[in-house]
Amino acid sequence: MKTYPTKNIRNILILGHGGSGKTTLTEALAFNAGAVDRMGKIDEGNTLSDFDPEEKRRKFSISSSIIPLEFGGHKINLIDVPGYFDFIGDAYAALRVADAVVIVLDALSGVQVGTEKAIELLEKANIPAIIVVNKMDRENATFSKVMDELKETFGNKVVPFELPMGEGEAMNGVVNIVDLTGSQRKDNRCFDVPITDEMKAELEPYRDMIMESVAQTSESLMEKYFEGEELTQNEIHTGIRQGIDNGELIPVLCTSATLNIGVETLENMIIEYLPSPGKGKFEVGKDPRDKKEIERKCSNNEPFSALVFKTVADPYVGKLSIFKVMSGVLDHSVEVYNATQEVKEKANHIYVLRGNKQIEVEKLEAGDIGAFSKLNDTVTGDTLTSIKSPIVYDKIELPKPIIAMAIEPKTKADIDKLATGLHRLVEEDPTMTVSRNKETKQTLVSGLGEMHLEIISQKLKQKFGVDVNLVDMKVPYRETIKKKATAEGKHKKQSGGSGQFGHVWIDFEPGNDPNAPFEFVDKVVGGAVPRNFIPAVEKGLENCMIEGVLAGYPVTGVRATLYDGSYHAVDSDEMSFKMAATAAYRKGMKEAAPVILEPIYHIDITVPEEYMGDIMGDLNKKRGRIMGMESASGGKQRILAEAPLAEMFKYATELRSMTQARGEFAMEFVRYEEAPMIISEKVIAAAQKEKAQ
């Protein structure tokens, strides 16, 4: 693949709801560009984008893929991302490096929640877009109906640039409203055809709509338009380009990716109307040496810098770090330095990826996308630079995990392999996290949904040979007491020679805060317990507090006051007093009205207003408390609540189901509270059962 100048590069992110045909559209674009001799099919598992075994098995994308195309003297880097929300992290990462977006809709389904999410991401990133209504060859597909939905949802900036020649199964081409030309399918390709005067008359209202949008891009065009003067083709194209660039205009095209209709028009529009990387804003970063802000333009004249936006962990090829050249030129003369981690990296080869194929290149210019293999210290979000002119760009903002499950190998022999596999997968997918809960002795894996966690378990098996089980995580309960109790603890042992003797009196009572750690108070007077043995009493109690008397959970919010005892001049030692403290603990805690505490989380939920009733009703069923409500952006409502963790394990899935995936939430631990009696009884019974096994 040859080297392309910045002005001839287009970095295009393909977004849309799952099943809208993004991967098939990518395949058709690749076919027209000559990247493949035959269009692959998802059902046959031979597309460029979906090369992962799990993608082939499930027949949908689970990871983003880079498909560079050479078309019309330009290089179009397509970034095809999954449409399912469990994998939306890839869309966030790709948005950081994309210069424009193509949003794909299913003509039959129209505007779906994935379309709404795509527009939200687009507006947040503030980059231009084209909307493609795909699958126009399907029975009952109606372009005008989809246009009405788009306008109702996104307003008048959405403007049709094409109409289909025939609708549904009769579709055999498209008509370009701007240039008043036709494109008709013949032998797997589309060819230009003239359009009739009758069709031109039919296009007139749509063309007026475009002309009005174009006129609004500048005062001179507005004046000319309202004076009734005809705009020249050059003025029209310049105005369209400016309107798209400013986000005031989103063209809508119609395609059938499977029949390759309208696809070449999209390719030409990407080149003509969407910006090159050099037309973007300055990138702002910091000098790692003095933390001062630096601006870099996407130009060959700037020092080299690149942002790693994706990592691929392959047990055979090794780690691949995929990056966008943010500034400067990358060639073999550049000594690569990871400015984020402040380490030199050894980069022997520069690659361009096309799906799972690595194409070695000699050079990449500013704005292009490439990959390095086997960078030991580099992770997603890191900045690579020349060692002489380092810069660190802001980290990529990714969605936080919203569901966690415990993961365990099916055989103990795979414990080490599981740890290695999880570490490699976290490198590849920063939207997943792995942690170890010391209390419950579980390894927890967190992600963006149940399907996300399921895919992680499948990848562990396919890539690292580890069979695993995903099970519900255990709730880290606590225990405390509700009343005061006094207990005597005595440890006495005589077996010939020096014996063992320790004797204590301890008051156990609730502390000021049930969430506070155990508190020890020394009130011994008159040397009843020698000073050198008092720390042993405290240590003995501290060890006991690890396991409560009800269900073996850690104890909090307890004050233990040592006020009396006795000792033997010869037989007493530290161990004896630890044992005495343990005896007092076992007796005193049982008499102090012990209770189970459960973790309470703050829940921040954002949903469209029409779902408010369902959400609040569901929270009440989960023993939740509504703390407040307020308006959120985009006509949504924000619900602030508190609920026990035990009721929230599958909330990500439940909320998605209740709101058709339009709801979002975040959880944060707040405190522990006494659990209701019915919950406590279940917790105690489960602990006794586990202990008996």
Side-chain angles (χ1 to χ4, degrees):
M1 186 174 287
K2 70 177 190 178
T3 303
Y4 285 82
T6 304
K7 66 184 178 67
N8 286 8
I9 294 169
R10 302 289 184 272
N11 295 317
I12 309 299
L13 171 60
I14 306 209
L15 284 176
H17 194 85
S20 58
K22 298 182 299 299
T23 298
T24 305
L25 180 63
T26 300
E27 200 70 17
L29 289 164
F31 175 72
N32 287 341
V36 289
D37 297 326
R38 174 180 171 269
M39 281 175 58
K41 294 180 180 178
I42 291 170
D43 288 339
E44 294 174 7
N46 58 359
T47 63
L48 286 171
S49 299
D50 292 352
F51 51 83
D52 186 277
E54 200 60 26
E55 290 176 318
K56 291 179 181 181
R57 186 174 77 84
R58 293 175 182 266
K59 295 182 172 36
F60 61 76
S61 303
I62 61 173
S63 180
S64 62
S65 54
I66 319 299
I67 311 295
L69 307 177
E70 297 175 283
F71 185 83
H74 290 69
K75 184 181 182 186
I76 304 172
N77 290 315
L78 298 176
I79 310 173
D80 181 15
V81 300
Y84 291 95
F85 301 119
D86 288 52
F87 314 105
I88 200 169
D90 274 0
Y92 278 70
L95 262 177
R96 186 75 167 76
V97 298
D99 301 302
V101 172
V102 169
I103 299 172
V104 185
L105 276 76
D106 182 322
L108 285 177
S109 304
V111 175
Q112 296 173 275
V113 62
T115 320
E116 295 169 12
K117 294 270 186 190
I119 292 285
E120 281 177 24
L121 289 172
L122 175 71
E123 289 174 345
K124 186 179 177 183
N126 193 26
I127 55 176
I130 290 173
I131 291 176
V132 174
V133 181
N134 191 30
K135 303 186 181 181
M136 278 301 304
D137 59 312
R138 300 277 291 274
E139 189 180 352
N140 299 322
T142 310
F143 186 69
S144 57
K145 183 185 173 187
V146 180
M147 274 308 308
D148 289 342
E149 277 188 59
L150 284 168
K151 281 195 169 292
E152 188 180 334
T153 310
F154 307 120
N156 288 330
K157 63 182 177 183
V158 177
V159 178
F161 271 49
E162 278 182 340
L163 288 181
M165 283 184 178
E167 288 201 324
E169 294 171 314
M171 184 199 188
N172 69 340
V174 292
V175 180
N176 186 318
I177 298 170
V178 178
D179 297 328
L180 297 175
T181 57
S183 178
Q184 202 163 28
R185 182 175 187 260
K186 186 181 179 183
D187 299 330
N188 235 9
R189 293 215 180 246
C190 283
F191 298 90
D192 290 346
V193 293
I195 61 172
T196 63
D197 291 339
E198 186 183 336
M199 190 173 281
K200 285 180 183 178
E202 190 184 327
L203 297 177
E204 207 55 44
Y206 296 103
R207 202 162 192 275
D208 287 344
M209 203 186 300
I210 295 171
M211 294 307 114
E212 190 174 331
S213 298
V214 168
Q216 290 172 8
T217 60
S218 77
E219 285 185 20
S220 60
L221 290 180
M222 178 76 80
E223 192 177 318
K224 193 173 180 181
Y225 176 75
F226 281 113
E227 286 177 0
E229 289 186 51
E230 190 77 24
L231 301 181
T232 66
Q233 282 297 99
N234 186 50
E235 287 173 331
I236 291 168
H237 288 289
T238 302
I240 289 171
R241 200 174 295 114
Q242 193 172 330
I244 293 172
D245 226 24
N246 297 336
E248 297 165 359
L249 184 61
I250 302 180
V252 182
L253 307 181
C254 50
T255 66
S256 165
T258 52
L259 297 179
N260 197 16
I261 297 173
V263 177
E264 196 165 318
T265 307
L266 171 61
E267 245 149 344
N268 287 322
M269 282 195 68
I270 286 171
I271 290 170
E272 186 167 358
Y273 294 127
L274 297 183
S276 65
K279 289 190 176 180
K281 298 172 184 174
F282 282 90
E283 283 289 339
V284 178
K286 287 184 178 175
D287 190 321
R289 297 165 295 193
D290 56 17
K291 308 303 179 190
K292 287 184 179 176
E293 267 197 4
I294 311 172
E295 280 190 346
R296 288 272 173 92
K297 191 174 184 347
C298 190
S299 162
N300 289 351
N301 299 324
E302 296 271 7
F304 165 71
S305 68
L307 181 69
V308 177
F309 67 94
K310 183 174 175 62
T311 305
V312 178
D314 191 298
Y316 306 109
V317 178
K319 186 168 72 171
L320 286 170
S321 301
I322 305 169
F323 58 84
K324 177 185 178 182
V325 180
M326 307 298 274
S327 64
V329 176
L330 172 64
D331 57 26
H332 294 295
S333 69
V334 175
E335 189 176 4
V336 177
Y337 177 69
N338 186 324
T340 308
Q341 309 293 346
E342 298 186 344
V343 294
K344 287 182 184 178
E345 286 282 21
K346 189 176 181 181
N348 294 323
H349 303 279
I350 305 167
Y351 296 106
V352 166
L353 298 184
R354 180 176 285 154
N356 63 344
K357 293 178 181 173
Q358 300 164 40
I359 305 164
E360 189 167 356
V361 294
E362 292 299 312
K363 184 169 76 168
L364 292 174
E365 297 201 6
D368 212 342
I369 289 174
F372 286 130
S373 65
K374 300 175 183 176
L375 298 187
N376 293 327
D377 298 298
T378 298
V379 295
T380 299
D382 282 358
T383 305
L384 305 175
T385 70
S386 65
I387 197 161
K388 292 179 182 176
S389 305
I391 184 174
V392 176
Y393 295 116
D394 288 343
K395 284 278 189 182
I396 297 168
E397 287 185 27
L398 294 168
K400 293 179 180 176
I402 54 176
I403 187 171
M405 293 187 79
I407 191 166
E408 51 194 36
K410 288 186 178 179
T411 60
K412 288 186 177 180
D414 283 342
I415 289 175
D416 289 341
K417 283 167 71 177
L418 173 62
T420 302
L422 286 172
H423 176 72
R424 295 285 293 276
L425 289 182
V426 168
E427 285 184 341
E428 181 177 84
D429 181 3
T431 61
M432 69 173 275
T433 60
V434 177
S435 59
R436 178 75 179 169
N437 189 313
K438 292 179 182 177
E439 289 176 32
T440 62
K441 297 179 177 62
Q442 288 181 311
T443 297
L444 304 179
V445 58
S446 305
L448 300 179
E450 285 188 69
M451 191 190 295
H452 187 194
L453 300 185
E454 191 184 325
I455 295 290
I456 289 167
S457 70
Q458 290 299 318
K459 282 187 175 182
L460 285 167
K461 183 178 181 179
Q462 290 164 4
K463 290 189 172 187
F464 305 100
V466 185
D467 269 325
V468 297
N469 290 320
L470 285 169
V471 297
D472 286 340
M473 61 182 278
K474 296 174 184 174
V475 179
Y477 291 104
R478 295 281 188 272
E479 297 183 25
T480 192
I481 55 176
K482 295 184 72 175
K483 70 176 189 181
K484 184 176 179 179
T486 299
E488 178 188 19
K490 184 180 281 188
H491 176 71
K492 186 177 181 181
K493 192 173 183 182
Q494 195 73 43
S495 57
S498 59
Q500 296 176 356
F501 183 84
H503 178 218
V504 294
W505 282 93
I506 300 173
D507 283 337
F508 294 93
E509 59 187 323
N512 296 325
D513 179 5
N515 292 276
F518 145 73
E519 179 188 354
F520 178 76
V521 180
D522 170 17
K523 283 192 177 179
V524 174
V525 292
V529 178
R531 308 307 304 169
N532 58 314
F533 293 142
I534 289 174
V537 176
E538 182 178 3
K539 186 67 177 173
L541 289 172
E542 196 176 286
N543 291 341
C544 289
M545 296 289 172
I546 294 170
E547 286 192 18
V549 295
L550 289 177
Y553 288 101
V555 177
T556 59
V558 171
R559 183 186 295 118
T561 304
L562 173 66
Y563 68 89
D564 201 1
S566 62
Y567 71 101
H568 187 279
V570 176
D571 292 348
S572 289
D573 58 14
E574 288 187 3
M575 181 55 70
S576 299
F577 274 95
K578 279 184 183 178
M579 299 297 288
T582 301
Y585 169 83
R586 287 174 181 160
K587 184 181 178 185
M589 288 292 285
K590 286 177 181 175
E591 296 173 356
V595 293
I596 299 289
L597 298 176
E598 63 178 349
I600 304 297
Y601 275 66
H602 172 76
I603 319 293
D604 189 338
I605 308 166
T606 304
V607 293
E609 193 165 357
E610 61 263 33
Y611 301 110
M612 290 281 283
D614 291 343
I615 299 302
M616 290 194 286
D618 181 67
L619 285 170
N620 286 330
K621 291 176 189 173
K622 296 181 183 301
R623 301 186 285 125
R625 293 188 291 267
I626 308 297
M627 311 302 290
M629 289 177 284
E630 56 187 60
S631 297
S633 60
K636 294 182 179 180
Q637 292 291 317
R638 192 175 169 206
I639 302 170
L640 305 175
E642 289 182 354
L645 174 63
E647 305 286 347
M648 300 299 293
F649 285 151
K650 299 293 172 68
Y651 195 63
T653 306
E654 292 165 1
L655 181 66
R656 201 170 280 176
S657 173
M658 282 187 288
T659 64
Q660 297 176 16
R662 289 179 169 87
E664 296 173 352
F665 83 106
M667 293 173 47
E668 188 176 27
F669 171 74
V670 182
R671 64 184 174 278
Y672 277 88
E673 282 185 5
E674 183 180 346
M677 182 60 71
I678 190 169
I679 301 297
S680 296
E681 288 172 353
K682 287 180 181 177
V683 171
I684 293 167
Q688 289 172 345
K689 185 179 178 182
E690 189 175 330
K691 195 173 182 181
Q693 288 176 347

